[in-house]
Amino acid sequence: MHRLPVILALDPFTSGDPLEWVGGIVDETRDLVSGYKIGLLLALRLLEKGYSLRDLAGKLSGVELVVVDFKLADIPDIVASVIDILGGHGYGKFIVHPFTGGLRELVERGVDPGDLILVASMSHRGSTEFIDKHWRDFVELALDIGVWGVVIGANKPGIIAGARRLIDERGGGVKILSPGVGAQGAEPSTAIKSGGDYEIIGRMVTGSSNPRGKLLELAEAYQGG
Ligand code: XMP
């Protein structure tokens, strides 16, 4: 079976051992998914238990696509340094917020644009207050800088389709990553049908008593799409 266009969000909501939790899920699912997303919740749970970034990197070794989702939104000096540290541990793609401005400076400071993913629209309702008003600007910026991807919530099919058109018109290879499937309400494969490349799924799979079985169940939705 081909890998599903799914990036599994590794957010441990349980209070057990987070490293064992990650190791178990990755071992069970690595041949089925396109990659994994790690974030602040996992990092804090690991720190609480005395684990290091190196321990986590060990569990993810050999995984081609690891998205680091700290939603960085700081001055370029800080963002570039954070990316430098994480890159040193072998992590590859970093989600950053473009609303701060100054992302070109990151590239001038040596950050590889191919390692960046920009948030263009979020899946929560409040995204319409500010971020969604600028999704087009953010996708244009992504194309101008040549970043790897943009994040657009799966529950925003109109924005996904608009971004796809823009990316295709400009012949860019920017990927569209869409969270919001399952626990946040969107049906699996909706974002892909609108022109997305990957769906980011967390609790629907990781909260299941059988994550592998859940992914195999989802495979039908993607094959049908
Ligand atoms: P669930 O469990 O809801 O997990 O499937 C979703 C994951 O995706 C993250 N998330 C977002 N990340 N823009 C982002 O960059 C968004 O709009 C967005 N919505 C959800 C969330 O942190 C979790 O890891």
Side-chain angles (χ1 to χ4, degrees):
M1 194 176 90
H2 289 303
R3 283 170 196 276
L4 303 174
V6 169
I7 295 173
L8 201 54
L10 296 171
D11 301 313
F13 282 93
T14 51
S15 57
D17 185 296
L19 195 66
E20 268 178 36
W21 182 82
V22 167
I25 292 192
V26 171
D27 284 350
E28 223 184 296
T29 59
R30 64 193 302 152
D31 61 318
L32 295 179
V33 299
S34 297
Y36 296 94
K37 184 175 84 70
I38 58 175
L40 212 44
L41 181 61
L42 175 60
L44 289 173
R45 291 248 194 252
L46 288 167
L47 273 181
E48 267 182 346
K49 300 277 181 190
Y51 290 118
S52 68
L53 286 173
R54 210 176 305 277
D55 295 325
L56 177 61
K59 295 291 177 197
L60 293 165
S61 103
V63 172
E64 257 175 59
L65 176 61
V66 177
V67 173
V68 181
D69 182 9
F70 290 167
K71 295 195 180 63
L72 298 167
D74 212 321
I75 56 172
D77 282 339
I78 300 287
V79 175
S81 298
V82 169
I83 289 177
D84 189 46
I85 291 171
L86 292 167
H89 287 277
Y91 298 113
K93 312 268 181 237
F94 307 93
I95 297 184
V96 299
H97 267 302
F99 61 68
T100 54
L103 291 198
R104 285 183 181 81
E105 250 187 79
L106 289 180
V107 180
E108 283 158 21
R109 272 160 213 265
V111 172
D112 181 349
D115 283 347
L116 296 177
I117 300 170
L118 310 191
V119 179
S121 164
M122 295 188 71
S123 53
H124 68 303
R125 214 170 333 137
S127 185
T128 55
E129 282 179 38
F130 302 109
I131 297 182
D132 286 10
K133 291 179 182 156
H134 294 280
W135 72 263
R136 197 177 288 276
D137 298 326
F138 296 146
V139 175
E140 294 274 9
L141 178 69
L143 285 158
D144 291 345
I145 302 182
V147 304
W148 187 76
V150 291
V151 181
I152 301 173
N155 53 350
K156 309 274 171 73
I159 298 183
I160 295 173
R164 175 87 279 148
R165 271 196 301 278
L166 209 55
I167 293 166
D168 290 350
E169 271 164 27
R170 291 199 30 191
V174 176
K175 311 277 187 216
I176 299 174
L177 287 67
S178 296
V181 168
Q184 293 179 80
E187 289 296 321
S189 92
T190 28
I192 303 294
K193 284 177 186 150
S194 304
D197 295 286
Y198 299 103
E199 293 186 354
I200 295 172
I201 305 182
R203 288 163 286 182
M204 185 188 214
V205 172
T206 59
S208 146
S209 56
N210 178 4
R212 185 177 180 83
K214 190 75 200 172
L215 281 167
L216 290 170
E217 228 177 80
L218 291 185
E220 264 184 54
Y222 291 104
Q223 275 147 18

